Amino acid sequence: MQSLRLPVVAAPMLIVSGPELVIAACRAGVLGAFPLGNPRGEGELDAWLERIERELAEAADAGESVAPYVPNLVVHPSNTQLPAQLEAVVAHAPEIVITSVGSPKNVVPALHDAGAQVWADVATVHHAERALEAGVDGLVLLGAGAGGHTGWANPFAFVRAVRERFDGTLVLAGGVSDGASILAAEALGCDLCYLGTRFIASAESRAQPAYKQMIVDSELDDIQLTDVFSGMNVSMMRKSLVANGLDPRDFGVQGASGGPLYAERNPGGPREWRDIWSAGHSASGIHDVAPVAEIVDRLEREYHAARAALRERLR
């Protein structure tokens, strides 16, 4: 994509990603993504899409090089709003749509008819193969250490295993927070990287100030993998569990036989995402809250410095 300054997607994040973050990312030269479930009110999804398109068009008319915005469709059967969300996306016909949490097979035809590429996020090689059978154009590989819902696979092995099967667009998610890791992902065979946690700690994200600061104050070892909330693996911050009066030792990976989920056992307790906050392993590399434009400038400098250092080592 010639409009990109860096091969980066500002990842779609529940609650956190609003029009402000998407627009800032696209204007900074990276793909700006958001979950279509974030706008909640009547007519709000269309209003978000219209605002994003209008402000990016105005920036382009003013001579800026603007990257595409990327809606994210949750295709799990529990998403009762999927038909309306799909209809809205088809009407706006974005360049790229990302599907999450399930098979994309039922939405690929309509999105392709609208002229959109479809990228599916996957956490296993099996799911990658299923998504390719459904006709997707790209894959987002959820490697170990990604924030939010995450996979378990080592990113090195995962990327190489999928690249043997697929020569289309690959996006690596998990543990990427600086320019050197972006370059490393390219060396593995990826086309782009997801950065989510880095953009939670941005001025334009809708995360609470305490959430942003907790990311700055956290290290890799402060990130906890658990399936207690939804039955799916998710990366959460231990400090957030503690802040809500919860014992991190009760929030491991229990598997299907682990008993009732947290919400069933604690119907009035703190809620995942709203009260208990997620972050990825890349929290270790985040030391401040900054505007998106400044973050992307920094990533670009780090990326080119890493390339220069690698060339020097290879001489």
Side-chain angles (χ1 to χ4, degrees):
M1 297 178 188
Q2 294 182 351
S3 60
L4 296 187
R5 282 174 65 192
L6 287 169
V8 165
V9 182
M13 295 173 285
L14 191 64
I15 300 176
V16 170
S17 301
E20 304 84 5
L21 178 55
V22 173
I23 292 164
C26 295
R27 292 185 65 181
V30 301
L31 296 169
F34 73 100
L36 289 164
N38 277 3
R40 296 281 185 170
E42 181 73 26
E44 193 173 1
L45 174 53
D46 277 320
W48 279 34
L49 291 167
E50 289 166 5
R51 176 186 170 186
I52 291 167
E53 291 173 347
R54 181 182 67 254
E55 293 194 26
L56 293 182
E58 290 170 354
D61 289 344
E64 295 183 30
S65 180
V66 175
Y69 76 93
V70 186
N72 169 218
L73 271 174
V74 173
V75 294
H76 192 272
S78 63
N79 180 13
T80 58
Q81 299 303 308
L82 178 58
Q85 292 168 356
L86 179 60
E87 181 179 358
V89 170
V90 166
H92 284 266
E95 185 176 330
I96 304 159
V97 176
I98 295 170
T99 66
S100 299
V101 198
S103 171
K105 66 180 180 181
N106 292 330
V107 301
V108 166
L111 293 171
H112 278 170
D113 286 347
Q117 292 186 40
V118 182
W119 299 352
D121 71 14
V122 296
T124 67
V125 173
H126 172 70
H127 288 138
E129 291 173 339
R130 293 288 299 276
L132 294 174
E133 290 170 3
V136 301
D137 308 286
L139 296 169
V140 179
L141 306 183
L142 301 179
H149 289 118
T150 185
W152 61 272
N154 176 286
F156 284 87
F158 196 10
V159 172
R160 299 312 302 159
V162 175
R163 187 48 93 194
E164 284 185 356
R165 297 161 167 80
F166 178 55
D167 62 1
T169 300
L170 285 187
V171 186
L172 176 62
V176 181
S177 67
D178 62 12
S181 47
I182 295 168
L183 181 64
E186 286 188 310
L188 276 176
C190 291
D191 300 286
L192 302 110
C193 294
Y194 253 27
L195 276 74
T197 304
R198 172 62 273 192
F199 289 111
I200 297 174
S202 70
E204 292 87 350
S205 92
R206 292 192 169 190
Q208 298 175 39
Y211 185 178
K212 299 178 186 184
Q213 189 60 45
M214 188 175 287
I215 288 175
V216 172
D217 295 337
S218 293
E219 298 288 346
L220 188 157
D221 290 349
D222 295 315
I223 307 304
Q224 173 129 352
L225 185 67
T226 178
D227 65 359
V228 172
F229 291 105
S230 64
M232 295 184 289
N233 287 346
V234 61
S235 297
M236 309 300 285
M237 288 190 286
R238 289 197 179 108
K239 292 179 180 179
S240 184
L241 292 166
V242 172
N244 281 280
L246 302 171
D247 188 342
R249 291 174 296 183
D250 296 333
F251 287 83
V253 178
Q254 300 183 8
S257 62
L261 296 176
Y262 168 78
E264 298 169 10
R265 292 183 281 114
N266 301 276
R271 296 270 72 83
E272 180 191 22
W273 312 118
R274 185 193 69 192
D275 308 305
I276 305 168
W277 299 325
S278 174
H281 289 177
S282 59
S284 283
I286 298 169
H287 309 298
D288 63 355
V289 177
V292 167
E294 182 179 325
I295 292 169
V296 175
D297 285 346
R298 190 182 307 166
L299 290 169
E300 186 178 42
R301 290 194 299 271
E302 293 167 347
Y303 176 80
H304 289 296
R307 289 187 63 175
L310 180 61
R311 283 196 300 268
E312 184 65 26
R313 284 196 295 270
L314 294 176
R315 288 180 60 181

